[in-house]
Each structure stands twice: as C-alpha cells, then as structure tokens.
Amino acid sequence: MFDPNPPLLPVHRPDGYPRLEDLGVIGDGATVALVGVDGSIPWLCLPHFDAEPVLAGLLDNQRGGHFTVTAQDLREARQHYIPDTAVLVTELRTTTGLLQITDAVVVRSGADLTDDAPAGRAELVRSARVLNGTIRLDIDLRPRDSGQIRAALDGLEIRPSRRPDLRLHLRANRPLASLPVAFDLNEGEHVDLVLSWGRVHRHHRFNAEDMLATTADAWRRWMAHFTYSGPQEPLVRRSAITLKLCDDWVNGALVAAPTSALPAPIGGVRNWDYRYAWVRDAAFTVFAMRRIGFKNEADAFLGWVLDAFEASRQPRIMYTLGGGPVPDEVEDPDLEGYRASSPVHWGNGAADQRQHDVYGEVLDCADQWVRAGGELQPALWAQLRGLADAAEWAWREPDQGIWEMRSDGRVFTYSAAMCQVALDRAAALGEKLGLPAPVARWRSAATELTRQILERSWDEKAQTLSAHLDGGGVLDASLLALPLRRVIPATHPRMVATTSAVAQRLSAGDGLLYRYLHQDSPDGIEGDEGAFVLCSFWLVENLVRQGHLEQAHELYSSLCARTSTLGLLSEQIDPATGTFIGNFPQAFSHIGIIASGVSLTRATTSTTA
C-alpha cells in the first residue's frame, strides 16, 4: 500500500532477486533505472529505454550486472520519494547506524519537463549519507558480462564488454581507484557518485546536492500543472509522475513499461518485451493525462501516433519510440530470467500480428487530436480515410485480438467494436471538418456494426456478451472497455449483464480480474497468468457509469491499496500471494488509477451538486 512514510522492514530477496514491490523507478525521459530497497540498481538501459540493458541483474543476478551502493550488515530498509518528484530516498539500517541514499537521473538545471528540448543530462546521481552511527559502505558497478575499468579524468571509465559503443564514467567526491570499493563513514559523512553515459561533464562543478535539488525542482514545476482533486489524490499524483517517467520526452511516445521479460507468473514463459509504444495505449493515456492537467503530454502522444502512422503508411499495433518497426523477437540464451523464469525475450513477436482494433485506435487519436485544436493535412486524411474504409470490412475477418493471442485468430468482439470506433470517428471528422468522405455510409456502417455486436456476441443462456462474435458465452474482460470507447452505453441492459458476468466469472478474488480463462480461450502459450490490473479499473468505471458509486469506491480503494509503498503497480498481480508479476511499472495500470479516479470524482460531484 502507498505510504509516504513507510516503516523500516527486513529486506526480502526471494531466490536472490528483489521483489518488484521493493523497487523504485527514477528517470529523465530517455531511460529509467530501477532502484532496490537494498541500494542496488539491477536495471538500466542506455542510452534509451529500448537499448540493450547495461545493467540487467533483474534478469540474472549473477551475470546481468548491477550498480550497488549499500551498507554492510544490512538489517532493515525503506524507500520514499521526495514529494511530487522522481527523486528517490532509500534508508538502510544496520546494527551500527542508519544510511540514507538519495537517487535521481538528473534533469538539467533550468529545464522544464514540458520544454521541447531534451531535459536529461545522461547522468545518474547517488548520494549516500550517514544519518547516525557508523556505516561500512560498499560500492560496486558491474555491467552485464563485466568490462574494462580504468582510471580516467576524475574517476573511472567503464567500457561494458557487450557495448563497445558505450562509455560509462563514474565520478565521486572521494578517490576511486578500482571497483568494488568500501568506505568507513561516521555520522554526517557522505559519499557522492555520478554515473555519466553521454558527454563527460569534466568541467562541470561536482555538486551532487545541487544536481538533486535542481532535478527535484524541475519535477515540482511540472507537477504544478496537476489539477486533480478527488479520491486517492496522493496516489494519482504519483501515477502522473510514473507515466511521465514512461514518456519519451523527445518523441512524445510512451513505453508500455520500461522493462522486458519480467514473467507473469513466476516460472512461466509469458515474458515479453514492453519497451515499445502501443497505439492502443494512446487513447487511454491521452484521456488520463489531459483530465489531470497535462495537455502537453496528451498532445505530444497524439502527435506521435499520427506521425508514426503517416510515416509507416500502414497501421502497426506498436512502434519503437522513434516511430519505426519493432525488432523481431529473440530469446537471450545467456540470462536465466527473473527468479529463473526463462526465456528472456528482446523485441516483440506480436508487432506484426493482425489486430483490427488498431483501425479504431488510430482514428480515435485523430478525433482527439482535432478536438484538441489540431489540424489534419490532406495526405494524412487520405490515409485515415483508407483506414475507415478498411475497418468497414476487416471486422468480419479473424485476428489475434487486444491480448495478442499466439493461437489461431478469431473474430473478437473487441476488435469489431474498435472497427465501429473507426467508422464513428471517421464520420465525425469528415462531417466536422467538411472533408471529402462518405460520411453517411460510414455512419450507417457504424450503426449496423453496433447492432451486429449486440446480437451476434450475445449468449442468451449465459446472459452475457461474448469474447467472439460467434457468441458461445466465452468471457473476456476487454468487453468492459466497450462503454469506455463509446461503443455500447454502460447502462445498456446487455452491458449491465455482461459487467456482472465478468465480475463473477473472471474474478480472481478480492476485486481482481483475469483477462480471460485459459481453458475457455486458449491463447497458444503454455501456462496460466495472474490477474490483469487494468481490467479491474475498467470494472470500476463500468460500476460508476451504472450508478453503483459505493461499490465502485470500495473496489477503487481496494485496488489502490495493492500498490507498493512507493505507489507503483506492475502489469499483473498473483492472486494467491498478492505479489507483483509482469513488467514493471506498467503504464496501463497507472492509467487505470488516474482514469477511475477522474470518473469517480465527476460522478460524485454530479450527484452532490
């Protein structure tokens, strides 16, 4: 549970790995580092989110690499963020003293996070200070598969063996002759470290305190745009910062998560690379960020989606952050995987799947772009018009669906619904802007498609809409998104019945939901999975729209209580243990926190006005 002032607790490392709940995230809009409650950094991709990781100890605690600053004889630890920032504080208690480590990926002095220019300095600062007693401080930096270390400038130069293109420079306020190294520190003494991977700032004054202060100040200035006032406000604030950490500040794209190959569940093979931008995330992200005050981020992501689509000249479900094709999926034979969960994957094999929902995702982005004051150039409109024409027929064909099944395709209800979105949004754009378009035909096709969904996916015996248009009563939590995409009202009797069916039959207990049941919907992948966090937030929004505010508030509170003490969430939760599984932190989960909070606030306000 989110706790701004958590207690000091023993450190747990099951199978020698940190729990995902015990990791904090810091970043600068180009990459992130995950920081363990024990002072280790077991994950860092340089120089960008989707580059090969320099530190991958999260995927192999022996060979993956780490940057560790910790206290010998560690007994207890805790973490918290400096409020409204991505500056992380870790406290470590030993039998002899208390150590405080302050970590941040540096944002350059004077930069606002909403500037068009890159705000990062390609530097990670770690400041370790003894608060009381005495501490034996251990420091080690070991890239994946090690590398060459030599004295250089005022510190050490490290050239990772797997990344000859990359030069790391480690500076300190104390002499560094080699690694690992240890220092004996008394109360008030400190060791400051700066890891650089871009241009070496050899003529910059070394002042870790200033670097941390200016970084915190930049985050606070960005958070001054925050406008939300409602349930779980501190957690919504933290979710906004977490989404910003998943944001590419240069391109405007958003990674689904800044990690790869974290398993769901532990020991399983569902270990995918999420360090790319999914088009379907766009509409949900834009809704969430715009409604809590971050218009610039919303507009930047919309612009990125349309630019990527226009440049590729075809609707891809995901892109690299630069708008290019996602690399082919490969297995890494050298890493054992998180808690021995192999294989480790780089790239994503779902990138070239047929997923018909992308038609609606792109056109919904275009609609939101225009609503926000953007313009559509004739060349882009010609491509968008082609998407609408394709959607008019594509829904009849099988695809792999929103959950990217790796089995034979089906005619998924959600995919058909997003084709309806494509037609509806295209008709609205054509009419509003007076663009050349068969508006009447599209609108008629959208109406007919809604009828087809309500009739063909309805299972009278099961009293629910089904995952597929051939009915059969097979459930899928993606059905909860139909009201959110304005396809079927949440109050429609068949949607009310479906909401109830999903809540009961896909329940993983205590408000958690499975995406689908594997015995009913084989997906071509071995094993089961955990509860998918976003689906439960979709249930909250349906309950709100159906007027069940007390039930919605209770569910929302229970879901928010599942966050880590830092206010972070993974993709999935293991229902049996409550532990985080899947990639982390997951943007979709934090979008759920924000969007559900906004819906609850609006509904509560309207009923009390």
Side-chain angles (χ1 to χ4, degrees):
M1 177 184 292
F2 180 52
D3 187 348
N5 187 31
L8 285 155
L9 295 172
V11 176
H12 299 284
R13 290 182 64 90
D15 305 319
Y17 287 86
R19 301 184 306 179
L20 300 186
E21 298 95 312
D22 292 336
L23 293 168
V25 58
I26 56 176
D28 68 346
T31 190
V32 304
L34 297 185
V35 185
V37 73
D38 62 353
S40 67
I41 294 181
W43 183 260
L44 177 63
C45 297
L46 296 177
H48 305 296
F49 291 102
D50 54 0
E52 181 178 348
V54 173
L55 307 178
L58 199 58
L59 299 180
D60 194 311
N61 60 7
Q62 297 299 315
R63 294 171 293 179
H66 60 90
F67 181 12
T68 297
V69 177
T70 194
Q72 287 188 13
D73 195 28
L74 176 60
R75 290 291 188 263
E76 296 176 319
R78 63 182 175 187
Q79 288 180 314
H80 70 272
Y81 283 106
I82 294 176
D84 279 352
T85 79
V87 178
L88 183 66
V89 177
T90 305
E91 292 183 6
L92 309 175
R93 185 185 297 281
T94 72
T95 55
T96 60
L98 181 64
L99 178 72
Q100 177 180 279
I101 305 169
T102 307
D103 291 311
V105 184
V106 179
V107 175
R108 61 184 171 85
S109 178
D112 191 322
L113 274 62
T114 56
D115 286 348
D116 292 332
R121 270 180 43 158
E123 291 178 309
L124 189 157
V125 59
R126 313 199 72 185
S127 179
R129 181 180 298 274
V130 179
L131 298 183
N132 61 60
T134 61
I135 292 289
R136 178 76 166 174
L137 184 72
D138 286 338
I139 299 170
D140 194 14
L141 173 58
R142 187 175 304 172
R144 179 183 175 183
D145 295 335
S146 193
Q148 296 181 347
I149 301 177
R150 67 180 182 88
L153 300 177
D154 54 347
L156 297 173
E157 182 181 278
I158 303 102
R159 288 187 177 269
S161 58
R162 296 179 61 92
R163 296 287 304 277
D165 60 311
L166 192 65
R167 181 178 63 169
L168 305 178
H169 188 74
L170 183 65
R171 293 181 292 160
N173 64 339
R174 293 175 180 241
L176 289 178
S178 63
L179 291 171
V181 65
F183 296 102
D184 290 309
L185 302 177
N186 297 314
E187 185 172 329
E189 293 183 325
H190 63 100
V191 174
D192 297 332
L193 300 156
V194 175
L195 176 66
S196 306
W197 53 89
R199 179 175 61 86
V200 177
H201 304 286
R202 59 184 299 178
H203 299 301
H204 287 200
R205 184 166 61 91
F206 187 102
N207 190 319
E209 185 177 355
D210 282 355
M211 297 165 82
L212 291 168
T214 56
T215 298
D217 183 61
W219 280 103
R220 291 191 192 98
R221 289 201 311 274
W222 181 74
M223 280 298 292
H225 299 279
F226 183 87
T227 58
Y228 175 85
S229 178
Q232 304 286 338
E233 181 179 335
L235 188 55
V236 173
R237 299 182 83 92
R238 179 51 49 190
S239 290
I241 293 172
T242 303
L243 286 181
K244 185 64 173 175
L245 285 168
C246 293
D247 179 19
D248 183 319
W249 299 353
V250 176
N251 295 312
L254 184 91
V255 293
T259 53
S260 178
L262 292 180
I266 304 300
V269 299
R270 299 170 182 270
N271 316 324
W272 316 120
D273 193 344
Y274 276 17
R275 300 171 302 150
Y276 307 108
W278 269 252
V279 174
R280 75 168 57 92
D281 293 15
F284 291 107
T285 303
V286 167
F287 173 91
M289 295 301 277
R290 191 182 298 281
R291 281 158 181 76
I292 58 172
F294 298 108
K295 178 180 181 297
N296 287 346
E297 281 70 23
D299 289 348
F301 197 12
L302 285 175
W304 175 86
V305 169
L306 296 178
D307 285 345
F309 165 67
E310 187 174 24
S312 65
R313 305 192 66 81
Q314 58 180 318
R316 297 182 182 274
I317 64 170
M318 70 180 89
Y319 296 86
T320 64
L321 300 181
V326 169
D328 292 338
E329 186 172 289
V330 297
E331 294 184 7
D332 191 323
D334 299 324
L335 298 178
E336 74 165 8
Y338 179 72
R339 297 181 61 186
S341 301
S342 62
V344 168
H345 287 120
W346 308 119
N348 198 300
D352 294 322
Q353 283 186 351
R354 174 181 290 185
Q355 295 180 27
H356 295 148
D357 69 294
V358 73
Y359 299 119
E361 309 293 0
V362 173
L363 273 155
D364 191 61
C365 286
D367 181 59
Q368 291 198 53
W369 174 256
V370 170
R371 288 171 182 266
E375 297 181 358
L376 296 180
Q377 299 299 321
L380 176 57
W381 173 245
Q383 289 179 257
L384 294 172
R385 175 174 172 167
L387 275 190
D389 289 340
E392 193 171 354
W393 302 101
W395 65 269
R396 297 173 171 84
E397 301 295 325
D399 73 345
Q400 264 47 60
I402 181 177
W403 306 130
E404 300 172 356
M405 304 287 188
R406 300 199 176 194
S407 56
D408 292 340
R410 300 287 298 273
V411 181
F412 285 95
T413 300
Y414 182 83
S415 297
M418 291 309 296
C419 287
Q420 190 274 356
V421 169
L423 292 162
D424 175 79
R425 306 304 192 266
L429 286 168
E431 185 174 64
K432 179 177 181 178
L433 301 179
L435 297 166
V439 170
R441 193 189 82 210
W442 286 341
R443 189 155 282 142
S444 175
T447 300
E448 172 61 18
L449 186 45
T450 300
R451 186 186 68 80
Q452 293 273 350
I453 291 167
L454 283 168
E455 292 186 2
R456 289 180 54 183
S457 74
W458 178 253
D459 186 284
E460 185 65 29
K461 181 178 179 181
Q463 284 292 293
T464 181
L465 298 173
S466 305
H468 315 117
L469 285 194
D470 55 8
V474 175
L475 278 175
D476 190 308
S478 65
L479 295 168
L480 295 176
L482 301 189
L484 312 186
R485 310 314 293 270
R486 310 202 309 269
V487 178
I488 301 172
T491 53
H492 190 287
R494 292 192 171 182
M495 196 63 230
V496 172
T498 300
T499 302
S500 177
V502 168
Q504 293 175 26
R505 290 167 49 192
L506 295 185
S507 173
D510 297 325
L512 297 177
L513 294 177
Y514 295 111
R515 294 188 289 183
Y516 47 88
L517 300 180
H518 290 250
Q519 64 268 29
D520 296 337
S521 302
D523 58 13
I525 309 168
E526 294 181 3
D528 290 330
E529 60 182 9
F532 200 84
V533 175
L534 179 65
C535 296
S536 293
F537 285 113
W538 285 348
L539 177 56
V540 171
E541 295 203 60
N542 276 265
L543 292 172
V544 170
R545 293 169 188 232
Q546 291 166 12
H548 305 302
L549 294 188
E550 183 176 351
Q551 188 179 352
H553 272 288
E554 290 177 358
L555 177 56
Y556 184 60
S557 296
S558 73
L559 295 172
C560 290
R562 291 184 177 274
T563 62
S564 71
T565 57
L566 291 173
L568 302 176
L569 275 173
S570 59
E571 175 192 32
Q572 297 183 30
I573 291 175
D574 184 334
T577 64
T579 57
F580 290 178
I581 53 177
N583 283 302
F584 171 87
Q586 179 79 1
F588 249 163
S589 299
H590 290 277
I591 290 166
I593 290 175
I594 296 171
S596 294
V598 169
S599 294
L600 278 165
T601 301
R602 291 184 169 185
T604 303
T605 301
S606 65
T607 58
T608 57

